[in-house]
């Protein structure tokens, strides 16, 4: 399972509150990704990281920020959560010559 | 514009049937990934293939690089195969294009 954990696994919050999701990996992978998954849209990239302090935006980055101060941790922050950010969030890493992706267990976020 | 197209979107089969899910892509790739997601569950990597065919148990994946097409086959399908199957291809920037998935239901 590539040693990927996400926390929390479930969260309910109110509109306007800040939320931080954590992705932790134990195998020193360089690339880490945050996706959201919504019905009818499939997986969409929010942000990704290619090293400590090196991050870039994906296709749905508005309203999200990320940080990677250590190789093993990739944090996703919603500065002021909105109901449209209710979703399932997956963290992923890539490994190997062909960049096979491995996913964390997901975080189900509900913004009321 | 969808770089990755899957078909069918939904599929219902009787237990024991042979199942085929298709993936077509429009970009040049080094490898293609098949992922599986059970209802309410996480996403698991099934196959990563760059040519030919791979087999894991009852699952077989094939790819034709020239035609930019891959298929995922399930032989002797079982209700536990009920899941969403997702095709993904990498781009040149270490990111991925994902299909929207094929939702498979196998009825006992």
């Amino acid at each position: 399972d590539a040693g990927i954990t996400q926390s929390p696994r479930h969260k309910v919050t109110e509109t306007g509150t800040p939320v931080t999701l954590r992705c932790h990996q134990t195998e020193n992978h360089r690339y880490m990704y945050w996706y959201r998954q919504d019905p009818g849209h499939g997986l969409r990239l929010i942000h990704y990281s290619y090293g400590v302090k090196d991050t870039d935006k994906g296709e749905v980055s508005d309203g999200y920020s990320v940080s990677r101060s250590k190789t093993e941790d990739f944090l996703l922050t919603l500065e002021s959560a909105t109901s449209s950010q209710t979703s399932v969030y997956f963290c992923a890493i890539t490994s190997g010559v062909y960049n096979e992706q491995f996913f964390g267990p997901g975080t189900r976020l509900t913004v009321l | 514009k969808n770089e990755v197209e899957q078909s069918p979107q939904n599929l219902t089969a009787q237990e024991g049937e042979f199942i085929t899910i298709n993936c077509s892509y429009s970009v040049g790739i080094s490898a293609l990934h098949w992922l599986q997601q059970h209802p309410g569950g996480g996403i698991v990597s099934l196959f990563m293939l760059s040519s030919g065919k791979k087999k894991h148990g009852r699952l077989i994946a094939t790819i034709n690089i020239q035609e930019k097409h891959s298929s995922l086959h399930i032989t002797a399908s079982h209700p536990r195969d009920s899941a969403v199957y997702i095709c993904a291809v990498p781009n040149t920037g270490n990111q991925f294009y994902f299909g929207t998935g094929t939702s498979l239901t196998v009825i006992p």
Side-chain angles (χ1 to χ4, degrees), chain A residues 3-22:
Chain A
I4 306 167
T5 57
Q6 292 184 230
S7 59
R9 296 292 312 281
H10 302 271
K11 186 169 184 66
V12 179
T13 191
E14 294 187 348
T15 298
T17 59
V19 176
T20 295
L21 309 183
R22 180 183 184 235

Side-chain angles (χ1 to χ4, degrees), chain A residues 45-88:
Chain A
L45 181 65
I46 304 171
H47 283 276
Y48 70 101
S49 169
Y50 47 97
V52 173
K53 299 191 189 306
D54 292 323
T55 65
D56 207 348
K57 296 179 180 180
E59 64 176 306
V60 290
S61 59
D62 286 349
Y64 302 94
S65 62
V66 289
S67 66
R68 192 168 179 199
S69 58
K70 299 185 290 184
T71 299
E72 57 266 36
D73 288 325
F74 191 31
L75 304 180
L76 177 71
T77 297
L78 292 66
E79 300 289 349
S80 178
T82 67
S83 59
S84 65
Q85 294 175 311
T86 292
S87 186
V88 180

Side-chain angles (χ1 to χ4, degrees), chain A residues 59, chain B residues 1-6 23-29 32 68 87-91 96-99:
Chain A
E59 64 176 306
Chain B
K1 173 179 177 289
N2 293 326
E3 289 80 5
V4 179
E5 298 276 1
Q6 284 185 241
C23 176
S24 296
Y25 53 93
S26 59
V27 295
I29 66 168
L32 179 142
K68 295 187 175 180
C87 171
V89 300
N91 68 13
F96 294 83
Y97 301 113
F98 292 92

Side-chain angles (χ1 to χ4, degrees), chain A residues 31 33 35 37 43 45 48 90 94 98-101 103, chain B residues 30-31 33 35 37 41 43 45 48 50 94-96 98:
Chain A
Y31 282 85
Y33 305 78
Y35 296 97
Q37 186 181 43
L43 288 159
L45 181 65
Y48 70 101
F90 286 97
T94 53
Y98 292 111
N99 290 327
E100 186 171 8
Q101 278 214 308
F103 290 82
Chain B
S30 56
H33 304 230
L35 307 167
Q37 185 176 27
I43 301 170
S45 177
M48 184 196 58
S50 57
N94 276 94
Q95 298 173 49
F96 294 83
F98 292 92

Side-chain angles (χ1 to χ4, degrees), chain B residues 9-90:
Chain B
Q9 282 192 309
N10 297 285
L11 181 56
T12 300
Q14 289 292 133
E15 183 173 357
E17 285 186 5
F18 180 84
I19 289 163
T20 296
I21 299 169
N22 296 298
C23 176
S24 296
Y25 53 93
S26 59
V27 295
I29 66 168
S30 56
L32 179 142
H33 304 230
W34 281 102
L35 307 167
Q36 180 193 56
Q37 185 176 27
H38 281 103
I43 301 170
V44 175
S45 177
L46 291 176
F47 293 102
M48 184 196 58
L49 66 166
S50 57
S51 64
K53 180 167 75 173
K54 281 192 175 181
K55 184 174 187 287
H56 289 161
R58 294 179 296 103
L59 273 61
I60 303 166
T62 63
I63 189 168
N64 185 318
I65 294 291
Q66 287 72 31
E67 295 185 4
K68 295 187 175 180
H69 182 268
S70 176
S71 293
L72 177 67
H73 306 286
I74 305 175
T75 62
S77 59
H78 190 276
R80 64 175 173 266
D81 297 325
S82 297
V84 175
Y85 293 84
I86 303 167
C87 171
V89 300

